[in-house]
Amino acid sequence: MFTSVIGALTSALPKYFIFGAYVPLLIFSFVNFGLAYVLSAAVRSAVQSAYAASAPLTIGIAFVGTVAAAYIVSSINDFLRRFLEGRFVGPEAVRRFLSDRQQLRRAARQTTNRKAIAQRLAYRSRRPGWTERLRVAANTGHAASPGRSSYDPVADPAAVALDGLRDALNRPLDIDAKTVDAVVNALVAALSVNDKLADAVLYRDHEQLLLMIDTILNAAIISENENTLYLNTYFGGAMPAPTRMGNVADAMQGYAISRYGMDLTLFLSRLQAILVKNDAKDYPIVLDAKTQLDFLIACTWFSAVTTLTWFVALIAMRGSPGVYVAVALAGPLVSWWFYLLATENYVAYALAVRACVDVNRFALLRALELPLPSTVHAELRLWSALSHAAATGTAIELSYEHTPK
Amino acid sequence: MKLRTFALEWFQVIVWSVWAIVVAGGLAIIATSGEPRVYLAAKPLPANHRLIEGDLAEAGWPYRFLVPGWRTRAAFVGRYLIRRIPSEGEVIEFGATSGAPSFPVNRSVLGWFSLAGLPVADVAGLDPGHRIEICNLTKGQCGDLLVEAVVCGATAGDCWAGIRLSNAQRDRLIAATTTKSPKPAIVVFTHGAGKHP
């Protein structure tokens, strides 16, 4: 029944309307109606009498009502999204407080990132020295004591230091270069008086230390990459937005500005027009990501409104304590969960938009009958000038490059 | 400044704590002034019957979860049914019970004995199913009889015990009075059957 209704609607109405507005509305209408029907005798009797009077009319009214409500939701979805982005946070003090909270999140990532960068630089600069000292010590030991070794694999200071390093390896970013320096010094001392070729354990310890240094260096590089990617994906402008979602939106915006000088708020709609006109293959990916984002944003709002409505209603009607507790506990968690999902989906949408900008920005310039820039810096200058002109209406001197029709 | 730093670092904990307090407040409102819980009748019950524990059967989940109210079984015990419950499993709503029934149960079945003058605690402790001792002072005879129902009037202490009597017993009784007694709910009559108000 539900599948056939959705199928019929999909053929008659756009897919993004069905899944971005109608389906979430239908889900939450069902939940709210179900609760009202079970909890309120008045609702039960009204529905039963309406259904008894004319079942087709009742179903028809419900259907038209949900479609009309979904249309309203669809038309305000951008507003709802911008609200979650924190664009309408009123008092400046509240906005600043929330932004500072986001800054705390960012600062934590930045601290980890700085640590990883420092680690990478320290290890990359010292690694050749460590390797060389160990190699020289091994040669010295081989020359001084050929075929002999008194290396104690348990009590030797090098073995003890290596054991400590092995234990610390599950948190590689916490191992500073001085610690490794000490281990290298201990092993250099052991290698310079023993022949490692005559001692399998000493040989293994030498190889393992080199491997551990590489592991720590790689962990620093991976951490740096992860944190940089996270900061570029989840945070945009210099001043953080008041909400997580706002920062993801800023990151999307910041990408086009920092790479190309393009202001997406001005050129995204123009880019969409070009994509539709050219029947670009990547446009459906953007549209699908946007539809999923709209779906989750609608779910976030519906769950929040449902929670608040029933929270107040159950107190006002002195309703069931069981239902009240369930709504009061599950409602905010579900809303928060939908919000986090929507934020993650926003990242996917932003990545799709970024890809679209990367691939289609020259098509937009061609459509605007403007010459294509020959260098990266020329492109930055061009888009910056265009963005400024589009935003302020200032006339700029640019030569058109008309293509014959 | 310190307060601001604290609020920034513990923001989520603060928000959830405030929410928990609001939820607890709402729960208190519901709990203290909520509509009564409903119970199911464990057996058919007559109108004006005073409810005892055994008359009530709690509704199963999810009905029990969904119905409003906070009152427990104890709120129903000792109250009187305004309407007859014709069959087992029917819902007894709190609104369908009363502390002061306005009419008696079937007179043809029961003989009524006023409990006025007995200690209030004794009357409160008397439930259908209890046995009370009835004595005929004229003849000096006493009998241990089953209480079928207890009904009360609007004024405190205006309670009556309904006791099943044979026709022979009924004919011999002309009137009944009560007296204070060291034992709970001892009804002493002198002569004749009582009349319910």
Coordinates of all heavy atoms in Angstrom, one line a residue, chain B residues 59-139:
Chain B
A59 N -4.3 -4.1 34.7 CA -4.3 -4.3 33.3 C -2.9 -4.7 32.8 O -1.9 -4.2 33.4 CB -4.7 -3.0 32.6
G60 N -2.8 -5.4 31.8 CA -1.5 -5.8 31.3 C -0.9 -4.8 30.4 O -1.5 -3.8 30.0
W61 N 0.4 -5.0 30.0 CA 1.1 -4.1 29.1 C 0.7 -4.3 27.7 O 0.4 -5.5 27.4 CB 2.6 -4.3 29.2 CG 3.5 -3.2 28.7 CD1 3.9 -2.2 29.4 CD2 3.9 -3.0 27.4 NE1 4.6 -1.3 28.6 CE2 4.6 -1.8 27.3 CE3 3.7 -3.7 26.2 CZ2 5.2 -1.4 26.2 CZ3 4.3 -3.3 25.0 CH2 5.0 -2.1 25.0
P62 N 0.5 -3.4 26.8 CA 0.9 -2.0 26.9 C -0.2 -1.1 27.4 O 0.0 0.1 27.6 CB 1.2 -1.6 25.5 CG 0.3 -2.4 24.7 CD 0.1 -3.7 25.4
Y63 N -1.4 -1.7 27.7 CA -2.5 -0.8 28.1 C -2.2 -0.1 29.4 O -2.4 1.1 29.5 CB -3.8 -1.7 28.3 CG -5.0 -0.9 28.6 CD1 -5.6 -0.2 27.5 CD2 -5.6 -0.8 29.8 CE1 -6.8 0.5 27.7 CE2 -6.7 0.0 30.0 CZ -7.3 0.6 29.0 OH -8.4 1.4 29.2
R64 N -1.5 -0.8 30.3 CA -1.2 -0.2 31.6 C -0.2 1.0 31.4 O -0.2 2.0 32.1 CB -0.5 -1.3 32.5 CG -0.3 -0.8 33.9 CD 0.3 -2.0 34.7 NE 1.5 -2.6 34.0 CZ 2.0 -3.8 34.3 NH1 1.4 -4.5 35.2 NH2 3.0 -4.2 33.7
F65 N 0.7 0.8 30.4 CA 1.7 1.8 30.1 C 1.0 3.1 29.5 O 1.5 4.2 29.7 CB 2.7 1.2 29.1 CG 3.8 2.2 28.6 CD1 4.8 2.5 29.5 CD2 3.7 2.7 27.4 CE1 5.8 3.4 29.0 CE2 4.7 3.6 26.9 CZ 5.7 3.9 27.8
L66 N 0.0 2.9 28.7 CA -0.6 4.0 27.9 C -1.7 4.7 28.7 O -1.9 5.9 28.4 CB -1.2 3.4 26.6 CG -0.2 3.0 25.6 CD1 -0.8 2.2 24.4 CD2 0.7 4.1 25.1
V67 N -2.4 4.0 29.6 CA -3.5 4.7 30.3 C -2.9 5.8 31.2 O -1.8 5.6 31.8 CB -4.4 3.8 31.1 CG1 -5.1 2.9 30.2 CG2 -3.6 3.0 32.1
P68 N -3.6 6.9 31.3 CA -3.1 8.0 32.2 C -3.2 7.7 33.6 O -4.0 6.8 34.0 CB -3.9 9.2 31.8 CG -5.2 8.6 31.3 CD -4.8 7.3 30.7
G69 N -2.5 8.4 34.4 CA -2.7 8.3 35.9 C -1.6 7.7 36.6 O -0.7 7.1 36.1
W70 N -1.6 7.9 37.9 CA -0.4 7.5 38.7 C -0.9 6.8 39.9 O -0.1 6.2 40.7 CB 0.3 8.8 39.1 CG 1.6 8.7 39.7 CD1 2.0 8.9 41.0 CD2 2.8 8.2 39.1 NE1 3.3 8.6 41.2 CE2 3.8 8.2 40.1 CE3 3.1 7.8 37.8 CZ2 5.1 7.8 39.8 CZ3 4.4 7.4 37.5 CH2 5.4 7.4 38.5
R71 N -2.2 6.8 40.2 CA -2.7 6.2 41.5 C -2.5 4.7 41.5 O -2.6 4.1 40.4 CB -4.1 6.6 41.7 CG -4.2 8.1 42.0 CD -5.5 8.5 42.5 NE -5.6 9.9 42.5 CZ -6.7 10.6 42.7 NH1 -7.8 9.9 42.8 NH2 -6.7 11.9 42.7
T72 N -2.3 4.2 42.6 CA -2.0 2.8 42.7 C -3.3 2.1 43.1 O -4.4 2.7 43.4 CB -0.9 2.5 43.7 OG1 -1.4 3.1 44.9 CG2 0.4 3.1 43.3
R73 N -3.3 0.8 43.2 CA -4.4 -0.1 43.6 C -5.0 0.4 44.9 O -6.2 0.3 45.1 CB -3.8 -1.5 43.7 CG -4.8 -2.6 44.1 CD -4.0 -3.8 44.2 NE -3.6 -4.4 43.0 CZ -4.0 -5.5 42.4 NH1 -4.9 -6.2 43.1 NH2 -3.6 -5.9 41.3
A74 N -4.1 0.9 45.8 CA -4.6 1.3 47.1 C -5.6 2.4 47.0 O -6.5 2.5 47.9 CB -3.4 1.8 48.0
A75 N -5.6 3.2 45.9 CA -6.5 4.3 45.8 C -7.9 3.8 45.6 O -8.9 4.4 45.8 CB -6.1 5.2 44.6
F76 N -8.0 2.6 45.0 CA -9.4 2.0 44.7 C -10.0 1.2 45.9 O -11.2 1.2 46.1 CB -9.2 1.1 43.5 CG -9.1 1.8 42.2 CD1 -7.8 2.2 41.8 CD2 -10.2 2.0 41.4 CE1 -7.7 2.9 40.6 CE2 -10.0 2.7 40.2 CZ -8.8 3.1 39.8
V77 N -9.1 0.6 46.6 CA -9.5 -0.3 47.7 C -10.3 0.6 48.8 O -9.8 1.6 49.2 CB -8.4 -1.0 48.4 CG1 -8.8 -1.8 49.6 CG2 -7.8 -2.0 47.4
G78 N -11.5 0.2 49.1 CA -12.3 0.9 50.1 C -13.3 1.8 49.5 O -14.2 2.3 50.2
R79 N -13.2 2.0 48.2 CA -14.2 2.8 47.5 C -15.4 2.0 47.1 O -15.3 0.8 47.0 CB -13.6 3.6 46.3 CG -12.5 4.6 46.8 CD -12.0 5.4 45.6 NE -12.9 6.4 45.2 CZ -13.1 7.6 45.7 NH1 -12.3 8.0 46.8 NH2 -13.9 8.5 45.3
Y80 N -16.4 2.7 46.7 CA -17.7 2.0 46.3 C -18.0 2.1 44.9 O -17.8 3.2 44.3 CB -18.8 2.5 47.2 CG -18.6 2.3 48.6 CD1 -17.9 3.3 49.4 CD2 -19.1 1.2 49.3 CE1 -17.7 3.1 50.7 CE2 -18.9 1.0 50.6 CZ -18.1 2.0 51.3 OH -17.9 1.8 52.7
L81 N -18.5 1.1 44.3 CA -18.8 1.1 42.8 C -20.1 1.9 42.6 O -21.1 1.5 43.3 CB -18.9 -0.3 42.3 CG -17.6 -1.0 42.0 CD1 -17.8 -2.4 41.7 CD2 -16.8 -0.3 40.9
I82 N -20.1 2.8 41.8 CA -21.4 3.5 41.5 C -22.2 2.7 40.5 O -23.4 2.6 40.6 CB -21.1 4.9 40.8 CG1 -20.5 5.8 41.9 CG2 -22.3 5.5 40.2 CD1 -20.0 7.1 41.4
R83 N -21.5 2.0 39.6 CA -22.2 1.2 38.6 C -21.8 -0.3 38.8 O -20.8 -0.6 39.3 CB -21.8 1.6 37.2 CG -22.3 3.0 36.7 CD -22.1 3.2 35.3 NE -20.7 3.5 35.0 CZ -20.2 4.7 35.2 NH1 -20.9 5.7 35.5 NH2 -18.9 4.9 34.9
R84 N -22.7 -1.1 38.3 CA -22.5 -2.5 38.4 C -21.4 -2.9 37.4 O -21.4 -2.4 36.3 CB -23.8 -3.2 38.1 CG -23.8 -4.7 38.3 CD -25.2 -5.3 38.2 NE -25.6 -5.3 36.8 CZ -25.4 -6.3 35.9 NH1 -24.9 -7.5 36.4 NH2 -25.8 -6.3 34.7
I85 N -20.5 -3.8 37.8 CA -19.6 -4.4 36.8 C -20.1 -5.8 36.5 O -20.0 -6.7 37.3 CB -18.1 -4.5 37.5 CG1 -17.7 -3.1 37.9 CG2 -17.2 -5.1 36.5 CD1 -17.3 -2.1 36.8
P86 N -20.6 -5.9 35.3 CA -21.3 -7.2 35.0 C -20.4 -8.4 34.7 O -20.9 -9.5 34.9 CB -22.1 -6.8 33.7 CG -21.4 -5.7 33.1 CD -20.7 -4.9 34.2
S87 N -19.2 -8.1 34.3 CA -18.4 -9.3 34.0 C -16.9 -9.1 34.4 O -16.4 -7.9 34.5 CB -18.5 -9.7 32.6 OG -18.1 -8.6 31.8
E88 N -16.2 -10.2 34.6 CA -14.8 -10.2 34.9 C -14.0 -9.5 33.7 O -14.4 -9.7 32.6 CB -14.3 -11.6 35.1 CG -12.9 -11.8 35.3 CD -12.4 -13.2 35.2 OE1 -13.3 -14.1 35.3 OE2 -11.2 -13.5 35.0
G89 N -13.0 -8.7 34.1 CA -12.1 -8.2 33.0 C -12.6 -6.8 32.6 O -11.9 -6.1 31.8
E90 N -13.8 -6.3 33.1 CA -14.2 -5.0 32.7 C -13.4 -3.9 33.4 O -12.9 -4.1 34.5 CB -15.7 -4.8 33.0 CG -16.6 -5.5 32.0 CD -17.9 -4.8 31.8 OE1 -18.0 -3.6 32.2 OE2 -18.7 -5.4 31.1
V91 N -13.3 -2.8 32.7 CA -12.5 -1.7 33.3 C -13.2 -1.0 34.4 O -14.4 -0.6 34.3 CB -12.1 -0.7 32.2 CG1 -11.4 0.6 32.8 CG2 -11.2 -1.3 31.1
I92 N -12.5 -0.8 35.6 CA -13.1 0.0 36.6 C -12.3 1.3 36.6 O -11.1 1.3 36.8 CB -12.8 -0.6 38.0 CG1 -13.4 -2.0 38.1 CG2 -13.4 0.2 39.1 CD1 -13.1 -2.8 39.3
E93 N -13.0 2.4 36.3 CA -12.3 3.7 36.3 C -12.6 4.4 37.6 O -13.6 4.1 38.2 CB -12.9 4.5 35.1 CG -12.4 4.0 33.8 CD -12.9 4.9 32.6 OE1 -13.3 6.0 32.9 OE2 -12.9 4.4 31.5
F94 N -11.6 5.2 38.0 CA -11.7 5.8 39.3 C -13.0 6.7 39.4 O -13.6 6.8 40.4 CB -10.4 6.7 39.5 CG -10.2 6.9 40.9 CD1 -9.9 5.9 41.8 CD2 -10.3 8.2 41.4 CE1 -9.6 6.2 43.1 CE2 -10.0 8.5 42.8 CZ -9.7 7.4 43.6
G95 N -13.3 7.3 38.2 CA -14.5 8.1 38.2 C -15.8 7.3 38.4 O -16.9 7.9 38.7
A96 N -15.7 6.0 38.3 CA -16.9 5.2 38.5 C -17.0 4.7 39.9 O -17.8 3.7 40.1 CB -16.9 4.1 37.5
T97 N -16.2 5.2 40.8 CA -16.3 4.8 42.2 C -16.6 6.0 43.0 O -16.5 7.2 42.6 CB -15.0 4.2 42.6 OG1 -14.0 5.2 42.5 CG2 -14.6 3.0 41.8
S98 N -17.0 5.8 44.3 CA -17.5 6.8 45.1 C -17.2 6.5 46.6 O -17.1 5.3 46.9 CB -19.0 7.0 44.9 OG -19.5 7.7 46.0
G99 N -17.0 7.5 47.4 CA -16.8 7.3 48.8 C -18.1 7.3 49.6 O -18.1 6.9 50.7
A100 N -19.2 7.7 48.9 CA -20.5 7.7 49.6 C -21.6 7.3 48.7 O -22.2 8.1 48.0 CB -20.7 9.2 50.1
P101 N -21.9 6.0 48.6 CA -22.9 5.6 47.7 C -24.3 6.2 48.1 O -24.6 6.3 49.3 CB -22.9 4.1 47.8 CG -22.3 3.8 49.1 CD -21.3 4.9 49.4
S102 N -25.1 6.4 47.2 CA -26.4 7.1 47.5 C -27.6 6.1 47.5 O -28.7 6.5 47.9 CB -26.7 8.2 46.4 OG -26.7 7.6 45.2
F103 N -27.3 4.9 47.1 CA -28.4 3.9 47.2 C -27.9 2.6 47.6 O -26.7 2.2 47.3 CB -29.2 3.9 45.9 CG -28.3 3.6 44.7 CD1 -28.0 2.3 44.3 CD2 -27.7 4.6 44.0 CE1 -27.2 2.1 43.2 CE2 -26.9 4.4 42.9 CZ -26.6 3.1 42.5
P104 N -28.7 1.8 48.2 CA -28.2 0.5 48.7 C -28.2 -0.6 47.7 O -28.8 -0.4 46.6 CB -29.2 0.1 49.8 CG -30.5 0.8 49.4 CD -30.1 2.0 48.6
V105 N -27.6 -1.7 48.0 CA -27.7 -2.9 47.1 C -29.0 -3.6 47.4 O -29.8 -3.2 48.2 CB -26.5 -3.9 47.4 CG1 -25.2 -3.2 47.0 CG2 -26.5 -4.3 48.8
N106 N -29.3 -4.6 46.6 CA -30.5 -5.3 46.7 C -31.0 -5.7 48.1 O -30.3 -6.5 48.8 CB -30.4 -6.6 45.8 CG -31.7 -7.2 45.6 OD1 -32.7 -6.9 46.3 ND2 -31.7 -8.1 44.6
R107 N -32.1 -5.1 48.5 CA -32.5 -5.3 49.9 C -33.0 -6.7 50.1 O -33.0 -7.2 51.3 CB -33.7 -4.3 50.2 CG -33.2 -2.9 50.5 CD -34.4 -2.0 50.5 NE -34.1 -0.6 50.5 CZ -34.0 0.1 51.6 NH1 -34.3 -0.4 52.8 NH2 -33.7 1.4 51.6
S108 N -33.5 -7.3 49.1 CA -34.1 -8.6 49.3 C -33.1 -9.7 49.6 O -33.4 -10.7 50.1 CB -34.9 -9.0 48.0 OG -33.9 -9.2 47.0
V109 N -31.8 -9.3 49.3 CA -30.8 -10.3 49.5 C -30.2 -10.1 50.9 O -29.9 -11.1 51.6 CB -29.7 -10.2 48.4 CG1 -28.5 -11.1 48.8 CG2 -30.3 -10.5 47.1
L110 N -30.1 -8.8 51.3 CA -29.3 -8.6 52.5 C -30.1 -8.0 53.6 O -31.1 -7.3 53.3 CB -28.2 -7.6 52.1 CG -27.2 -8.0 51.1 CD1 -26.2 -6.9 50.8 CD2 -26.4 -9.2 51.6
G111 N -29.7 -8.2 54.8 CA -30.2 -7.5 55.9 C -29.1 -6.4 56.3 O -27.9 -6.7 56.2
W112 N -29.6 -5.2 56.6 CA -28.7 -4.1 56.8 C -28.5 -3.8 58.3 O -29.5 -3.7 59.0 CB -29.1 -2.9 56.0 CG -29.0 -3.1 54.5 CD1 -29.9 -3.4 53.7 CD2 -27.8 -2.9 53.8 NE1 -29.4 -3.5 52.4 CE2 -28.1 -3.2 52.5 CE3 -26.5 -2.6 54.1 CZ2 -27.2 -3.2 51.5 CZ3 -25.5 -2.6 53.1 CH2 -25.9 -2.9 51.8
F113 N -27.3 -3.7 58.7 CA -27.1 -3.3 60.1 C -26.2 -2.1 60.2 O -25.1 -2.1 59.6 CB -26.4 -4.5 60.8 CG -27.3 -5.7 60.9 CD1 -27.3 -6.7 59.9 CD2 -28.2 -5.9 61.9 CE1 -28.2 -7.7 59.9 CE2 -29.1 -6.9 61.9 CZ -29.1 -7.9 60.9
S114 N -26.7 -1.1 60.9 CA -25.9 0.1 61.0 C -24.7 -0.1 61.8 O -24.7 -0.8 62.8 CB -26.8 1.2 61.7 OG -26.0 2.3 62.0
L115 N -23.6 0.5 61.4 CA -22.3 0.4 62.1 C -22.0 1.7 62.8 O -20.9 1.9 63.3 CB -21.2 0.2 61.1 CG -21.4 -1.1 60.2 CD1 -20.2 -1.2 59.2 CD2 -21.4 -2.3 61.1
A116 N -23.1 2.6 62.9 CA -22.9 3.9 63.6 C -22.5 3.6 65.1 O -23.1 2.7 65.7 CB -24.2 4.7 63.6
G117 N -21.6 4.3 65.6 CA -21.2 4.1 67.0 C -20.0 3.2 67.2 O -19.4 3.3 68.2
L118 N -19.7 2.5 66.1 CA -18.5 1.7 66.2 C -17.3 2.6 66.0 O -17.4 3.6 65.3 CB -18.5 0.6 65.1 CG -19.3 -0.7 65.4 CD1 -19.2 -1.6 64.3 CD2 -18.8 -1.4 66.7
P119 N -16.1 2.2 66.5 CA -14.9 3.0 66.2 C -14.7 3.1 64.7 O -14.9 2.1 64.0 CB -13.8 2.2 66.9 CG -14.5 1.3 67.9 CD -15.9 1.1 67.4
V120 N -14.3 4.3 64.3 CA -14.1 4.5 62.8 C -13.1 3.5 62.3 O -13.3 3.0 61.2 CB -13.6 6.0 62.6 CG1 -13.3 6.2 61.2 CG2 -14.7 7.0 63.1
A121 N -12.0 3.2 63.0 CA -11.0 2.3 62.5 C -11.6 0.9 62.3 O -11.2 0.3 61.4 CB -9.9 2.3 63.5
D122 N -12.5 0.5 63.2 CA -13.2 -0.8 63.0 C -14.0 -0.8 61.7 O -14.0 -1.8 61.0 CB -14.1 -1.1 64.2 CG -13.2 -1.4 65.5 OD1 -12.0 -1.4 65.3 OD2 -13.9 -1.5 66.6
V123 N -14.7 0.3 61.5 CA -15.6 0.3 60.3 C -14.7 0.3 59.1 O -15.0 -0.4 58.1 CB -16.5 1.6 60.3 CG1 -17.3 1.7 59.0 CG2 -17.4 1.6 61.5
A124 N -13.6 1.1 59.1 CA -12.7 1.2 58.0 C -12.1 -0.2 57.7 O -11.8 -0.5 56.5 CB -11.6 2.2 58.2
G125 N -11.9 -1.0 58.7 CA -11.3 -2.3 58.5 C -12.2 -3.4 58.1 O -11.8 -4.5 57.9
L126 N -13.5 -3.0 58.1 CA -14.5 -4.1 57.7 C -14.7 -4.1 56.2 O -15.1 -3.1 55.6 CB -15.8 -3.7 58.4 CG -16.9 -4.7 58.3 CD1 -16.6 -6.1 58.9 CD2 -18.2 -4.2 58.9
D127 N -14.5 -5.3 55.6 CA -14.7 -5.4 54.2 C -15.6 -6.6 53.9 O -15.8 -7.5 54.7 CB -13.3 -5.7 53.6 CG -12.5 -4.4 53.5 OD1 -13.1 -3.4 53.1 OD2 -11.3 -4.5 53.8
P128 N -16.2 -6.6 52.7 CA -16.9 -7.7 52.3 C -16.0 -9.0 52.4 O -14.9 -8.9 52.0 CB -17.3 -7.4 50.8 CG -17.3 -5.9 50.8 CD -16.2 -5.5 51.7
G129 N -16.6 -10.0 52.9 CA -15.8 -11.3 53.0 C -15.4 -11.5 54.5 O -15.1 -12.6 54.9
H130 N -15.5 -10.4 55.3 CA -15.2 -10.6 56.7 C -16.4 -11.2 57.4 O -17.5 -11.2 56.9 CB -14.9 -9.2 57.4 CG -13.6 -8.6 57.0 ND1 -13.0 -7.5 57.5 CD2 -12.6 -9.1 56.1 CE1 -11.9 -7.2 57.0 NE2 -11.6 -8.2 56.1
R131 N -16.1 -11.7 58.5 CA -17.3 -12.2 59.3 C -17.4 -11.4 60.6 O -16.4 -10.9 61.2 CB -17.0 -13.7 59.7 CG -16.9 -14.6 58.5 CD -16.8 -16.1 59.0 NE -18.1 -16.6 59.2 CZ -18.9 -17.1 58.3 NH1 -18.5 -17.1 57.0 NH2 -20.0 -17.6 58.6
I132 N -18.7 -11.1 61.0 CA -18.9 -10.3 62.2 C -19.8 -11.1 63.1 O -20.6 -12.0 62.7 CB -19.4 -8.9 61.9 CG1 -20.8 -9.0 61.2 CG2 -18.4 -8.1 61.2 CD1 -21.5 -7.7 61.1
E133 N -19.7 -10.8 64.3 CA -20.5 -11.5 65.3 C -21.8 -10.7 65.6 O -21.8 -9.4 65.8 CB -19.8 -11.6 66.6 CG -20.3 -12.6 67.6 CD -19.4 -12.8 68.8 OE1 -18.7 -11.8 69.1 OE2 -19.4 -13.9 69.4
I134 N -22.9 -11.3 65.5 CA -24.2 -10.6 65.7 C -24.9 -11.4 66.9 O -25.0 -12.6 66.9 CB -25.1 -10.7 64.5 CG1 -24.4 -9.8 63.4 CG2 -26.5 -10.2 64.8 CD1 -25.2 -9.8 62.1
C135 N -25.4 -10.6 67.8 CA -26.0 -11.1 69.0 C -27.4 -10.6 69.2 O -27.7 -9.5 68.9 CB -25.2 -10.8 70.2 SG -23.5 -11.3 70.2
N136 N -28.3 -11.5 69.6 CA -29.6 -11.1 69.9 C -29.6 -11.0 71.4 O -29.6 -12.0 72.2 CB -30.6 -12.2 69.5 CG -32.0 -11.8 69.7 OD1 -32.3 -11.1 70.7 ND2 -32.9 -12.3 68.8
L137 N -29.7 -9.7 71.9 CA -29.6 -9.5 73.3 C -30.8 -10.0 74.1 O -30.7 -10.4 75.3 CB -29.5 -8.0 73.6 CG -28.2 -7.3 73.1 CD1 -28.1 -5.9 73.6 CD2 -27.0 -8.1 73.7
T138 N -32.0 -10.0 73.4 CA -33.2 -10.5 74.1 C -33.0 -12.0 74.4 O -33.3 -12.5 75.5 CB -34.4 -10.4 73.1 OG1 -34.4 -9.1 72.6 CG2 -35.7 -10.5 73.9
K139 N -32.5 -12.8 73.4 CA -32.4 -14.2 73.6 C -31.0 -14.6 74.1 O -30.8 -15.7 74.5 CB -32.7 -15.0 72.3 CG -34.1 -14.8 71.9 CD -34.4 -15.6 70.7 CE -35.9 -15.5 70.2 NZ -36.1 -16.3 69.0

